[in-house]
Amino acid sequence: MRNFITIEGCDGVGKTYQTKLLRQYCEEHGLDVVFTREPGGSDIAEQIRKIILDANNSAMDDLCEAFLYAASRIQHLKDIVKPALSAGKVVICDRYVHSSYVYQGLGRGLGLDKIVQLNDIAVGDFMPQFTVFLDLSPQDAFLRKGGADKSDRMEAAEYDFHIKVYQGYKSLIARNPQQFEVIDASGTKENTQRQLREVLIRRGVLR
Ligand code: TYD
């Protein structure tokens, strides 16, 4: 889908911070870009997000989790993404189906095929124009951040889980390289931001 860009990466890579800087850049340059995120991003979807990430919900079944992410995605597309694209805006979304593929399909071990199928039902062929992957291993990400946030049910998951997620992204990228723009996020924050802007300008999304 033209003008629909998604950003992916492991927990702790600094996606939220990078998106914030990018948003400031767009505001300063008068660029009408909608920034949003998953899970959540709209009223109903944010309510689903609370259930998913609540640290008290540690008994949540993995398949239930996968359906909740997909449910949040459907609502968010309807409420935020599709209207903004129809109005001619660029939409930059923090996480999308690729997160489900790697976190639920590979991290939780539900299987990639099953999660692809589930998301096909949820979003059909509504795929991003391209996906930026902020490349930093969980080892480096948590080291830099000083550990995982235990109040976030996903971030608190076992270390092995995050390794599987990272390897999952790598294998998705190897299988479908034309979908991804990979950015080395191991340098300074400024360096990552510069690369991010360069990619978006080169791909004609930003000026
Ligand atoms: P969030 O606090 O937004 O983390 P981040 O800033 O790293 O994006 O929490 C989102 C969490 O949900 C994150 O651990 C990744 C996970 N997630 C999935 O497991 N599957 C999904 O489909 C999505 C969108 C996110």
Side-chain angles (χ1 to χ4, degrees), residues 9-13 20-21 24-26 29 35 45-46 57 60 65 71 76 84 116 121 133 143 154 168 180 202:
C10 293
D11 285 79
V13 297
K20 195 175 112 196
L21 287 187
Q24 279 168 7
Y25 172 89
C26 290
H29 289 76
F35 286 88
E46 285 290 328
N57 289 338
M60 187 181 292
E65 177 186 288
H76 175 244
V116 168
I121 295 169
F133 177 63
L143 203 66
M154 297 303 288
F180 292 92
R202 172 164 55 75

Side-chain angles (χ1 to χ4, degrees), residues 92-141:
I92 298 181
C93 184
D94 186 344
R95 298 193 181 281
Y96 191 57
V97 289
H98 299 97
S99 283
S100 283
Y101 297 169
V102 298
Y103 279 80
Q104 281 65 53
L106 302 166
R108 297 291 194 217
L110 291 171
L112 189 55
D113 290 349
K114 198 186 229 176
I115 300 303
V116 168
Q117 248 182 337
L118 169 60
N119 278 278
D120 279 352
I121 295 169
V123 306
D125 58 0
F126 200 93
M127 293 301 269
Q129 183 184 342
F130 63 91
T131 299
V132 176
F133 177 63
L134 297 185
D135 190 352
L136 186 67
S137 71
Q139 293 96 313
D140 291 340

